[in-house]
């Protein structure tokens, strides 16, 4: 049993390792321990701070001045340790630079640009779903959750069809290396030599289809809003942030409905709830569970003094299930009021791709609502053990057509 104790200066400390197999297999009991330990907890294993209560997580995300991203959003501090890739101009950058790059991405991902994608996404969802329904029983990860985002999103960014499986290896590197150098970190990085040159090449302007979101980023460079070298890194952000997250969100969505059949029936009765249902999925099974900030100056949280250049583990997954904020948080309920969930983060770094993620999942859930009368688990889902992402790798289901 790991101990959570109060230091003699009154500060809560914990031996919990948020990157251990035990934690990653079933994070929720550990989340509870972290929330109950106090508003801010010292993690002795790594010498970092942790916040897991909504009351601290939400304001922290809204205070980029004190809780910066330029030191990286993993456990490693870029001010002390060089990262394995050039830092992201969005994720790992603070204003004023971030303001400039974010505004370019906001424009590229504007509602009119995204609206054009809906029909194509829907058609791909229907095609994959109809194929799966002919099987009757199938692995919903292999047949739906993985192939669908891996088709529609790189299409939208403008990538050629070949070699896209490398995006999975790349995403694995990006998100697992936010954790410490453990077995998950090392396994992900073992593919770096093969994958990185490919990713870099695919971010070049000449590799991107005309009319694509990737080309839009380069047009912003032509207009002088960023440099062309920066445009390549912004395209890289699409490939870093947009693949695993949506694959896992969709897998989590199907798992939520397979495990809560009455919620599937509710959605079928009122398909206008598809969008609301996705917000509840993001709250209940947050794909990007936790990340770090770095203090830019000495500060305090809930009266606990924190020095400058300290790493803080921010568990949005725990905040999304904090009983101080949510009624019956362990219940998956698509009719709940989910406003304020932090599944897409909050503040200036809140997910820039959240609208495209919503369209992806909404189009698949809509196709399912029209075609699937019931979803049953036919075996035990397998969980992914991953330093920052929560996901299912195997999801055996039977879907009964309407
Ligand atoms: C990026 C990036 C990478 C991972 C996640 C992310 C959740 C962004 O390279 O910009 O946002």
């Amino acid at each position: 049993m790991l101990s959570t104790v109060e230091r003699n200066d009154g500060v809560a400390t914990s031996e919990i390792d948020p990157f251990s197999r035990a934690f990653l297999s079933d994070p929720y009991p550990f989340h509870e321990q972290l929330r109950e330990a106090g508003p801010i907890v010292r993690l002795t294993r790594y010498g970092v701070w942790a916040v897991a209560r909504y009351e601290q997580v939400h304001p922290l995300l809204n205070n980029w001045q004190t809780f910066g991203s330029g030191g990286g959003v993993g456990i490693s501090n870029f001010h002390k340790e060089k990262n394995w890739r050039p830092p992201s101009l969005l994720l790992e950058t603070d204003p004023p630079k971030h303001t400039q790059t974010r505004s370019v991405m906001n424009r590229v991902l504007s509602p009119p640009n995204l609206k054009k994608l809906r029909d194509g996404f829907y058609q791909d969802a229907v095609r994959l779903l109809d194929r799966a329904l002919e099987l009757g029983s199938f692995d919903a990860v292999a047949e739906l959750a993985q192939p669908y985002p891996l088709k529609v999103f790189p299409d939208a960014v403008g990538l050629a069809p070949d070699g896209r499986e490398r995006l999975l290896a790349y995403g694995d590197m990006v998100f697992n290396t936010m954790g410490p150098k453990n077995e998950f970190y090392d396994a992900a990085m073992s593919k770096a030599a093969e994958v990185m040159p490919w990713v870099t090449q695919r971010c070049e302007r000449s590799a991107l289809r005309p009319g694509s979101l990737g080309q839009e980023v380069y047009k912003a460079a032509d207009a002088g809003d960023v440099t062309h070298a920066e445009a390549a890194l912004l395209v890289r952000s699409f490939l870093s942030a947009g693949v695993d997250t949506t694959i896992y969100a969709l897998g989590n969505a199907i798992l939520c409905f397979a495990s809560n059949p009455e919620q599937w029936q509710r959605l079928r009765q009122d398909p206008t709830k598809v969008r609301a249902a996705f917000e509840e999925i993001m709250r209940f099974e947050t794909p990007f569970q936790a990340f770090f900030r770095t203090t830019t100056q000495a500060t305090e949280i809930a009266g606990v003094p924190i020095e400058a250049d300290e790493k803080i583990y921010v568990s949005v997954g725990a905040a999304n299930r904090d009983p101080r904020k949510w009624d019956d948080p362990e219940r998956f309920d698509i009719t709940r009021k989910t406003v304020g969930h932090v599944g897409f983060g909050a503040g200036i770094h809140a997910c820039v791709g959240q609208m495209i993620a919503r369209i992806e999942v909404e189009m698949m859930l809509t196709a399912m609502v029209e075609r699937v009368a019931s979803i049953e688990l036919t075996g035990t889902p397998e969980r992914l053990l991953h330093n920052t992402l929560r996901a299912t790798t195997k999801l055996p289901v039977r879907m009964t057509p309407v």
Side-chain angles (χ1 to χ4, degrees):
M1 183 63 195
L2 293 160
S3 60
T4 305
V5 294
E6 209 164 90
R7 227 157 61 174
N8 54 16
D9 59 2
V11 174
T13 70
S14 175
E15 291 172 356
I16 285 175
D17 177 359
F19 306 101
S20 63
R21 282 181 167 255
F23 188 107
L24 299 170
S25 309
D26 184 14
Y28 301 119
F30 293 102
H31 286 172
E32 186 181 354
Q33 287 185 50
L34 289 176
R35 285 189 306 256
E36 293 309 312
I40 176 149
V41 185
R42 186 76 180 167
L43 298 181
T44 52
R45 173 88 159 74
Y46 297 107
V48 299
W49 297 98
V51 288
R53 292 185 188 174
Y54 189 90
E55 192 184 346
Q56 276 70 43
V57 166
H58 190 261
L60 183 148
L61 292 177
N62 281 289
N63 183 356
W64 58 266
Q65 292 90 342
T66 304
F67 305 105
S69 292
V73 304
I75 197 167
S76 149
N77 185 342
F78 293 180
H79 304 138
K80 299 177 181 170
E81 245 186 308
K82 194 172 177 302
N83 196 31
W84 60 272
R85 60 170 198 162
S88 163
L89 298 175
L90 284 166
L91 180 76
E92 298 154 340
T93 310
D94 297 308
K97 188 81 218 167
H98 174 268
T99 314
Q100 199 190 9
T101 52
R102 173 75 185 218
S103 122
V104 167
M105 294 301 260
N106 282 344
R107 269 177 286 141
V108 171
L109 294 165
S110 68
N113 283 354
L114 297 189
K115 203 164 167 241
K116 292 183 229 158
L117 300 172
R118 288 182 81 93
D119 291 348
F121 284 16
Y122 177 73
Q123 283 159 20
D124 279 319
V126 167
R127 181 179 51 81
L128 285 163
L129 183 60
D130 283 347
R131 203 178 70 181
L133 287 175
E134 294 206 348
L135 300 171
S137 297
F138 55 91
D139 175 2
V141 171
E143 300 298 328
L144 300 175
Q146 186 161 295
Y148 169 66
L150 203 49
K151 164 91 173 59
V152 299
F153 183 71
D155 279 358
V157 173
L159 256 56
D162 67 292
R164 289 181 179 185
E165 68 288 345
R166 287 189 168 109
L167 294 171
L168 299 172
Y170 178 58
D172 208 34
M173 289 161 59
V174 167
F175 286 98
N176 262 316
T177 60
M178 292 178 190
K181 290 186 172 140
N182 58 11
E183 57 183 309
F184 310 116
Y185 185 114
D186 292 338
M189 282 304 281
S190 67
K191 295 186 191 131
E194 190 216 322
V195 167
M196 282 315 290
W198 182 87
V199 169
T200 305
Q201 190 272 324
R202 295 297 160 117
C203 292
E204 285 174 16
R205 187 173 208 161
S206 59
L208 299 163
R209 177 177 54 79
S212 62
L213 297 177
Q215 284 293 346
E216 289 291 313
V217 177
Y218 278 98
K219 281 190 203 158
D222 293 341
D225 301 330
V226 288
T227 68
H228 287 83
E230 288 169 340
L233 274 182
L234 290 176
V235 173
R236 192 193 68 174
S237 281
F238 276 140
L239 306 185
S240 305
V243 178
D244 300 41
T245 47
T246 49
I247 289 174
Y248 297 154
L250 185 54
N252 292 350
I254 300 171
L255 176 62
C256 283
F257 285 116
S259 319
N260 298 274
E262 80 292 350
Q263 296 293 318
W264 183 249
Q265 296 315 321
R266 273 199 163 173
L267 187 61
R268 290 186 64 218
Q269 281 152 22
D270 183 1
T272 66
K273 289 203 166 64
V274 160
R275 180 162 286 214
F278 181 47
E279 300 308 311
E280 173 66 349
I281 290 153
M282 289 299 292
R283 181 197 72 81
F284 187 74
E285 288 282 29
T286 310
F288 191 11
Q289 285 266 300
F291 43 80
F292 287 78
R293 291 290 187 258
T294 313
T295 51
T296 58
Q297 57 190 16
T299 184
E300 55 93 20
I301 292 179
V304 175
I306 312 204
E307 288 172 26
D309 215 22
E310 288 277 309
K311 279 279 170 179
I312 306 178
Y313 172 83
V314 184
S315 179
V316 289
N320 277 337
R321 287 182 179 226
D322 184 351
R324 296 161 192 79
K325 166 75 181 174
W326 310 98
D327 288 335
D328 209 356
E330 311 292 329
R331 216 182 54 173
F332 175 66
D333 175 2
I334 63 166
T335 64
R336 131 184 352 258
K337 270 179 80 174
T338 55
V339 53
H341 81 74
V342 282
F344 287 115
I348 64 166
H349 288 280
C351 180
V352 71
Q354 58 184 284
M355 282 314 295
I356 196 166
R358 285 196 182 96
I359 295 171
E360 283 182 47
V361 176
E362 249 177 65
M363 291 300 101
M364 178 58 85
L365 288 181
T366 300
M368 284 171 59
V369 162
E370 295 161 353
R371 286 165 181 77
V372 178
S374 65
I375 310 171
E376 281 163 81
L377 280 175
T378 55
T380 312
E382 278 175 28
R383 280 289 173 190
L384 178 69
L385 293 183
H386 187 297
N387 278 333
T388 53
L389 298 174
R390 179 152 174 86
T392 306
T393 49
K394 243 201 181 103
L395 185 47
V397 294
R398 175 164 35 246
M399 293 193 186
T400 308
V402 292

